[in-house]
Amino acid sequence: MGFDVTYADFSAEPARLANAKVERQRTRSAGSHLALNAGGSVTLRFEVADPEDVEQATLTVTALVSKLGSSIGYAPMDVLLQGEPLVADLTVPGGGDLPQDNVLAVPGHLLKPGTNTLEIRTSGKARSMLWLYRITLDPVWERGRSERARTAEAARDSVFSYRTERRLAHSSSSSWQSAPRLLFHLDRDERSLPAQLGWRTADGAESAISFQSDMSGFHGCYRTADGTAYEYQGRLGDRRPFSQETENLSASTLHRFHTEEGWGGGWHTSHELRLLVDDGATAPVERINWRDQRGNSGVAVLHAATTDVAVTRVRASDEYRANGEVAGNLRNDRRTKWLAGDDTARLDFTLSGPAAVASYSLTSANDFPDRDPRDWTLYGSADGKAWTPLDSRAGETFTGRYETREFFLRATAPGYRHFRLDITRNAGANETQLAQVSFAEAPAGQAFTGYYQRHNEGPIGYRGTPVAVPSSSTGLPASPRVASELESAVASLAETAQTLAALAAQLRKH
């Protein structure tokens, strides 16, 4: 049976403990660590079910020695198990630099069934302090097990709120001034705390910050939309786990994405990504980048999540059948085209069902720019008979071949199934042509495009689409797409009813 995950994490107050009880003498909590004065000690008591299963254990003591002014400090430590020394007068290198992982072998014969006692103490001759960050203990064949569990537990509280300050960059007379609260949550289900975070809002303001390892504070920089640069720092005010109430903590949007990772020539489903950044700005966040404490990093650029609408039929006032340059080519994204032998033309599109179209796109063809449409009007219809003008354009140009331009309607079309593009002028030729025409419904939220890079690996594609949010009244996803699909189903049933009625009439005649 061995023993359970065992650790003591002193980066929090109170300390995070697993299979451990801690007693302290001549110590004090110092935010990210426990400070031991000369003669100080930490005793950790942990349980072992069956020590015969453990031939050897791995003990990791993460610590450093504080400096003596500008000189290297001196605080040797002893490590004892059941009163037996594992090491004596061990001097941790670094002298106030970075904490060191001191890895020690624990002979299995020193472990006993029941309660075991591990003691770490500093010499009475110490001239500076020993800073103790954490202790982990694992069977030798499962090294790192407790550290992984400790990291996952620390990352459980992943909604952070900081009190912040800013001061003008490179200004000797500038003092720190209070700034808006920073609230953020970033989680892709990897159970790892962020080490760095950067974001940009839609008005052009940018921030980049780096966190203390225990998340107690951050330091970084901030630049306003007009380019003024500031130093930026914060102290932790609140920290809590994610819950259904998290979105109520801020007026900013809590983004939830279904994600995919691009590798091996395809896209593969990944974990849900949750993002929330509120720095007090009125403009929404449009880009977020991060690196976590394991060295993984990513970028997400947010954009509208429009949904393409399927076109089932296209009819044209004219088309060049001899060369296969027919209206049906406008439905696909292959490098084909539609060509009409006139400087004006009309295209009628039938969708798979009524759709709340918010935009449409035209793609120029492969040659002869003077065949490009210049002036046109888009109409919508519920029955293909009565037409309502939706959008008119004049003097439009395409700058290249196979260039796609998107045009947004001033008001979303109210569930039309039929659309007509009436081209009244082209760029001067006797023929008119296009490569593709497509329609898109109103945005159903925001999607993102970016990349992700795991530690020691190359970058891969990363993208996401919004998770549907249930409607409070019906419990159905609040999406124009759902409404369109329902309307399409109704239309289909109506057409079926008409067909059956006609068939019944024929049968009665005979």
Side-chain angles (χ1 to χ4, degrees), residues 157-163 181-184 214-216 235-241 246 249:
D157 295 334
S158 57
V159 182
F160 297 88
S161 177
Y162 289 87
R163 300 181 296 272
R181 173 199 69 166
L182 171 63
L183 175 75
F184 84 89
D214 62 348
M215 304 301 292
S216 60
R235 298 297 301 174
L236 183 64
D238 182 54
R239 181 176 176 179
R240 62 183 67 187
T246 298
L249 300 177

Side-chain angles (χ1 to χ4, degrees), residues 18-80:
N19 187 30
K21 296 181 180 179
V22 171
E23 298 172 4
R24 298 159 31 188
Q25 293 185 349
R26 298 180 60 81
T27 68
R28 63 177 178 85
S29 296
S32 64
H33 59 273
L34 197 64
L36 280 68
N37 295 306
S41 67
V42 172
T43 301
L44 184 148
R45 304 188 191 280
F46 62 98
E47 301 297 317
V48 177
D50 187 357
E52 292 185 1
D53 289 349
V54 184
E55 182 179 353
Q56 190 180 71
T58 301
L59 172 66
T60 304
V61 180
T62 304
L64 65 75
V65 174
S66 66
K67 292 182 180 178
L68 287 170
S70 59
S71 301
I72 293 176
Y74 178 72
M77 69 174 177
D78 299 336
V79 180
L80 305 96

Side-chain angles (χ1 to χ4, degrees), residues 146-409:
S146 294
E147 175 60 19
R148 291 190 294 273
R150 183 197 70 83
T151 303
E153 175 62 21
R156 182 182 65 87
D157 295 334
S158 57
V159 182
F160 297 88
S161 177
Y162 289 87
R163 300 181 296 272
T164 74
E165 297 176 305
R166 297 172 186 155
R167 70 178 178 186
L168 280 171
H170 299 283
S171 174
S172 57
S173 60
S174 177
S175 59
W176 289 101
Q177 301 293 324
S178 294
R181 173 199 69 166
L182 171 63
L183 175 75
F184 84 89
H185 168 66
L186 190 157
D187 186 5
R188 49 171 270 132
D189 198 28
E190 288 188 323
R191 300 183 179 182
S192 182
L193 292 170
Q196 295 176 341
L197 183 68
W199 64 96
R200 176 187 171 94
T201 51
D203 60 2
E206 294 184 285
S207 302
I209 60 178
S210 184
F211 298 97
Q212 299 284 349
S213 60
D214 62 348
M215 304 301 292
S216 60
F218 71 79
H219 196 94
C221 54
Y222 166 75
R223 186 177 67 181
T224 63
D226 65 9
T228 306
Y230 292 83
E231 285 186 82
Y232 189 27
Q233 68 179 18
R235 298 297 301 174
L236 183 64
D238 182 54
R239 181 176 176 179
R240 62 183 67 187
F242 175 81
S243 71
Q244 296 303 315
E245 299 301 317
T246 298
E247 62 181 349
N248 299 326
L249 300 177
S250 167
S252 297
T253 302
L254 168 65
H255 298 281
R256 300 183 65 170
F257 299 106
H258 296 299
T259 70
E260 294 178 300
E261 296 179 357
W263 47 267
W267 289 95
H268 308 270
T269 301
S270 183
H271 294 290
E272 179 180 312
L273 172 67
R274 296 194 299 263
L275 294 175
L276 169 63
V277 177
D278 179 4
D279 63 355
T282 56
V285 170
E286 65 178 12
R287 185 191 70 215
I288 301 174
N289 57 276
W290 69 91
R291 184 174 66 84
D292 68 24
Q293 293 187 7
R294 295 178 182 173
N296 307 317
S297 60
V299 170
V301 175
L302 278 61
H303 54 84
T306 55
T307 303
D308 288 341
V309 181
V311 175
T312 58
R313 186 174 63 181
V314 186
R315 289 181 176 177
S317 57
D318 187 45
E319 57 188 7
Y320 191 31
R321 293 177 177 273
N323 233 23
E325 295 168 341
V326 296
N329 293 337
L330 296 170
R331 296 170 50 193
N332 60 60
D333 58 2
R334 297 189 297 273
R335 295 210 161 187
T336 55
K337 70 180 181 183
W338 155 77
L339 175 65
D342 201 348
D343 59 357
T344 64
R346 189 181 69 231
L347 294 165
D348 287 345
F349 300 87
T350 300
L351 309 185
S352 58
V357 168
S359 68
Y360 62 101
S361 298
L362 307 183
T363 302
S364 62
N366 62 319
D367 56 7
F368 299 109
D370 54 354
R371 294 176 178 175
D372 293 342
R374 183 68 60 88
D375 302 348
W376 65 80
T377 298
L378 180 72
Y379 297 86
S381 172
D383 57 6
K385 298 177 182 178
W387 296 93
T388 301
L390 303 175
D391 186 53
S392 291
R393 303 283 170 164
E396 298 291 345
T397 60
F398 293 82
T399 59
R401 302 302 83 206
Y402 292 117
E403 176 192 4
T404 298
R405 295 191 58 198
E406 186 173 15
F407 302 92
F408 290 87
L409 306 185

